[in-house]
C-alpha cells in the first residue's frame, strides 16, 4: 500500500459529535459508509443495498452489545436468553454477562437450548473452529445475530452475498487494523438500527471520527487497487497466500507430531476469486490426541506454547485455539516448538 | 494552531490491539499519556504524579461506566446505589440504567439519599448549573467519582490541583475535539484502575489508537505554545475570551428580557493565569421568572429556541440548560431571539 494509505488529519477537523445529522446513525462518517458499501460490492460477501442501514461501532464488540440491546424487549420480566452453538467464541458469554444486565443473559449452547424466545449468535466462519455455520434454532420469537468477522476471501471461499437481519463486520479481521477499534453492522430493520444507534449513543456518544476517516482512506486504497488492471498489490489475494502458507506449515507440524489433530475443510468455489479454494481460518482449533493429556492448554504451556483452552469455548480441555494472525517471527517460533513435541 | 496540529497516519501504523503491554492500561498510547501528564502539570488542575494511573476511554462517558463497574461489588445481592446532587447531569441516570445492570442502579438526588453504601457523582464545575461542587455525602462505604470535564481555565478559575480517587476528563471539553471520542481518568487505586481497564476491554477491547495519536499531537501543539515566550496563540486564554464574551451577551439579553434569571458566580484567583477570574460555564442554567410559565423549555421552543428542560436534571421545568459551546452564528441567533422575548 506504501504511502497511498497515509492520511493527514488537520488539527481543526471533525471536532463535532455529529457526522451526518440526516442519517439515522448520526455519528457515521459518510465517506466511511461509502467505502464499506464499495467493499461489500467488490467482495460480494454481503447484501448492502440502499435499504440496509450501516451502523458504525467501536469494533464489532460494541456492535454485538448494541444488537443484544436492540433485540431484547426493554420491559420483560426475565432477561432474554443469549445462545450460540459450541464451540462458541469465548467472549460471547463474558461480554453478555459482565454487567449482569436485566435485558439479556448468557444461556449457553444453542444446540441444547429449550425455549421459544432467544437471541442466537451465529459466527461464520466460526471462531474458534473455522466451520461454516447457520443458525441451529428456529422460532417465531427467536432472533439471530450473524457475526461475519471472518467472512473475507483471505479466510474462506465467498460462496454468496449474506443476507441476514443483522450482520457484524470488523476492520480488525478485514484489513487487520485492530488498533482502529472499528466495526460496522448491516441491519435490515429500521427499529433495530435505531435502537443499536441509541445503545452506542448511551455507551460512548458515537465512534471515533479519526478512525472512521483513516479506515475510509485505507479501504479506498485497497479498493482502488482492484480497479487497476493487472495490479498485483491486492489485499485479499496477499492475505490468502499468507494464510495458506501458514496453514501448510501448521498441518505439516501437526502431522509430524502424531499427537494432535486439526479440523478438515471442504474446498468451495469462491465467487470473488473465481477459483476453488480451501478454508484458512484465522484461528486453528487443535485437539490433543495424546493419551493421558486431558488439559491441552497446560500441556502446551509447559512447552512454552500459549493457546486458549477449549473450556472457554464451551467444550473439553482437549481442545485449544491457536491464533494464526500473529507476527511472522512469533508464528514460526510456534511451529518450531510444536515440531519438537511427540 | 494552523498546520502545526496536523497529523499524518501511515496506512501500516498501529494495527495491533496493544499499545503498551507493560502498562496496566495496555491500550493506552504512551505518547497520549505523556501529553496528558504535561497538560495537567501546566494547568495545575489535577494531581498527576507517578503513582496515579491514567486510563484512556472512548470519551468520559465510557470511563464513567468503567468507574461504576469498578466500584460496584461483583457479587452483591442488590445493585449499588448511584447518586448525584440536583441539578445533576441528565445523562447520569440514563447511562447508569439503560442496561438494567444488577451491579449498579440510579438512586437519584444525593442530598436526600439515605443509606451507607453508594457511588456519588460529583461534577465540578457542575453540568448544568456551573456551580463549584464537593461531595454532599460521606460514609466509610461510600465512593465518589469526580467528573472534572469542565475544570479548565476557559470555564473557571483553577484554584488548585484536584486530588480525588477517580477523576474524569474529556477531550470534548478541554480542546473541543468531541469527534475524537476520547477521555481519560486519573485513578489512585490500582485495583480500581485494573477493573476500569477490564471494563473497557470487555466493552470495546480498548480505545481508538488513531484518536489517541491525533489528540496527543494536538495537545503537544497546544502545550508547546505555552513554552514560547510572548506567544499569543494560547488555547485556554483564547477560550476564556470567547466564553467571557458569550456570557456578557447572554447576561445582557437576560437582563433586557426581564423574565429570566441566571446563576451568579463569585470570582476567584486562578492559579493558572494568576488573575482574579469569573466562572463562564459551558452551559447556562436559565430560570424562567415569568408568571404563568411553568414549562420553560416549551415556552422557549414556541419562540424557536431549543434548550433542555430542568426535568432531565432532576428539578422543575422552570429551568432549562443552554449550550454555550455552539457555533458563533447559532449562538448569536439564540441571543437575538432571546432579546425579542418579554
Amino acid at each position: 500500500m506504501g504511502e497511498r494509505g497515509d492520511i493527514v488529519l488537520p488539527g481543526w477537523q471533525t471536532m463535532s459529535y455529529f457526522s451526518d445529522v440526516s442519517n439515522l446513525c448520526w455519528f457515521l462518517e459518510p465517506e466511511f459508509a461509502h467505502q464499506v458499501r464499495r467493499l461489500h460490492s467488490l467482495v460480494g460477501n454481503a447484501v448492502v443495498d440502499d435499504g440496509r442501514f450501516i451502523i458504525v461501532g467501536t469494533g464489532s464488540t460494541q456492535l454485538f452489545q448494541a444488537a443484544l440491546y436492540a433485540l431484547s424487549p426493554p420491559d420483560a420480566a426475565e432477561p432474554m436468553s443469549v445462545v450460540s452453538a459450541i464451540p462458541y467464541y469465548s467472549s460471547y458469554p463474558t461480554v453478555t454477562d459482565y454487567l449482569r444486565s436485566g435485558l439479556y443473559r448468557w444461556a449457553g449452547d444453542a444446540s441444547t437450548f429449550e425455549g421459544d424466545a432467544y437471541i442466537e449468535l451465529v459466527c461464520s466462519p466460526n471462531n474458534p473452529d473455522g466451520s461454516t455455520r447457520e443458525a441451529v434454532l428456529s422460532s417465531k420469537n427467536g432472533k439471530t445475530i450473524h457475526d461475519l468477522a471472518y467472512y473475507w476471501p483471505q479466510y474462506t471461499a465467498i460462496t454468496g452475498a449474506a443476507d441476514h437481519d443483522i450482520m457484524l463486520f470488523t476492520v480488525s479481521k478485514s484489513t487487520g487494523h485492530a488498533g482502529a477499534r472499528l466495526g460496522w453492522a448491516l441491519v435490515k430493520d429500521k427499529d433495530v438500527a435505531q435502537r443499536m444507534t441509541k445503545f452506542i449513543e448511551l455507551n460512548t456518544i458515537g465512534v471515533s471520527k479519526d478512525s472512521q476517516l483513516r479506515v475510509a482512506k485505507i479501504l479506498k486504497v485497497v479498493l482502488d487497487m482492484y480497479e487497476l488492471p493487472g495490479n498485483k498489490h491486492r489485499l485479499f489475494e496477499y492475505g490468502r497466500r499468507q494464510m495458506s502458507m501458514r496453514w501448510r506449515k501448521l498441518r505439516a507440524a501437526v502431522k509430524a507430531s502424531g499427537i494432535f489433530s486439526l479440523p478438515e475443510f471442504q474446498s468451495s468455489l469462491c465467487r470473488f476469486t473465481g477459483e476453488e479454494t480451501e478454508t484458512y481460518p484465522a484461528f486453528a482449533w487443535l485437539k490433543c490426541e495424546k493419551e493421558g493429556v486431558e488439559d491441552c492448554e497446560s500441556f502446551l504451556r509447559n512447552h512454552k506454547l500459549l493457546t486458549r483452552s477449549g473450556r472457554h469455548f464451551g467444550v473439553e480441555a482437549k481442545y485449544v485455539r491457536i491464533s494464526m494472525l500473529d507476527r511472522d517471527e512469533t508464528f514460526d517460533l510456534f511451529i518450531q516448538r510444536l515440531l519438537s513435541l511427540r
Side-chain angles (χ1 to χ4, degrees), chain A residues 6-184:
Chain A
D6 295 2
I7 187 169
V8 180
L9 291 169
W12 49 265
Q13 206 179 45
T14 63
M15 295 185 71
S16 165
Y17 288 100
F18 297 95
S19 291
D20 180 1
V21 286
S22 70
N23 194 317
L24 178 144
C25 184
W26 51 268
F27 47 79
L28 172 65
E29 283 291 318
E31 178 62 13
F32 176 68
H34 171 65
Q35 298 299 339
V36 162
R37 286 187 192 278
R38 226 184 128 198
L39 179 66
H40 286 299
S41 302
L42 173 80
V43 173
N45 59 342
V47 174
V48 67
D49 56 40
D50 287 345
R52 199 82 46 152
F53 298 93
I54 297 178
I55 312 293
V56 65
T58 310
S60 62
T61 300
Q62 188 181 37
L63 292 162
F64 164 59
Q65 293 162 80
L68 293 184
Y69 175 80
L71 296 179
S72 301
D75 45 11
E78 283 293 304
M80 188 70 144
S81 294
V82 180
V83 296
S84 189
I86 57 164
Y88 43 68
Y89 176 30
S90 53
S91 288
Y92 289 156
T94 330
V95 171
T96 303
D97 279 349
Y98 72 118
L99 289 174
R100 291 172 49 196
S101 173
L103 300 178
Y104 47 76
R105 173 169 61 192
W106 179 248
D109 185 6
S111 314
T112 60
F113 179 75
E114 292 182 2
D116 177 53
Y118 57 81
I119 299 169
E120 181 180 352
L121 309 168
V122 183
C123 185
S124 185
N126 190 41
N127 176 356
D129 70 356
S131 61
T132 300
R133 286 195 161 188
E134 291 179 8
V136 302
L137 297 174
S138 169
S139 143
K140 200 171 61 97
N141 294 316
K143 317 269 187 185
T144 52
I145 299 171
H146 280 77
D147 180 346
L148 303 183
Y150 303 98
Y151 192 40
W152 295 101
Q154 62 270 50
Y155 307 117
T156 193
I158 302 303
T159 53
D163 185 22
H164 308 288
D165 288 349
I166 303 179
M167 300 187 277
L168 308 184
F169 294 92
T170 169
V171 168
S172 308
K173 304 305 180 296
S174 51
T175 72
H177 289 78
R181 308 309 315 119
L182 205 64
W184 66 95

Side-chain angles (χ1 to χ4, degrees), chain A residues 140-263:
Chain A
K140 200 171 61 97
N141 294 316
K143 317 269 187 185
T144 52
I145 299 171
H146 280 77
D147 180 346
L148 303 183
Y150 303 98
Y151 192 40
W152 295 101
Q154 62 270 50
Y155 307 117
T156 193
I158 302 303
T159 53
D163 185 22
H164 308 288
D165 288 349
I166 303 179
M167 300 187 277
L168 308 184
F169 294 92
T170 169
V171 168
S172 308
K173 304 305 180 296
S174 51
T175 72
H177 289 78
R181 308 309 315 119
L182 205 64
W184 66 95
L186 303 180
V187 180
K188 262 186 197 170
D189 185 82
K190 189 175 181 180
D191 285 346
V192 171
Q194 248 155 355
R195 281 180 58 79
M196 287 181 71
T197 301
K198 187 70 189 174
F199 175 91
I200 294 171
E201 184 183 324
L202 291 165
N203 194 226
T204 53
I205 323 186
V207 174
S208 166
K209 291 189 182 184
D210 308 313
S211 285
Q212 289 188 66
L213 292 177
R214 181 170 176 230
V215 169
K217 179 70 182 287
I218 289 165
L219 289 179
K220 182 182 183 307
V221 173
V222 166
L223 291 162
D224 286 353
M225 297 292 182
Y226 282 93
E227 291 178 357
L228 300 173
N231 190 297
K232 279 177 189 152
H233 299 284
R234 290 180 162 176
L235 181 74
F236 297 115
E237 286 78 353
Y238 169 80
R240 169 159 285 270
R241 286 193 300 274
Q242 295 295 314
M243 295 305 292
S244 147
M245 194 166 61
R246 286 187 172 191
W247 271 90
R248 212 161 39 235
K249 288 183 187 176
L250 178 67
R251 289 201 186 273
V254 161
K255 196 172 175 189
S257 80
I259 57 168
F260 298 109
S261 65
L262 284 169

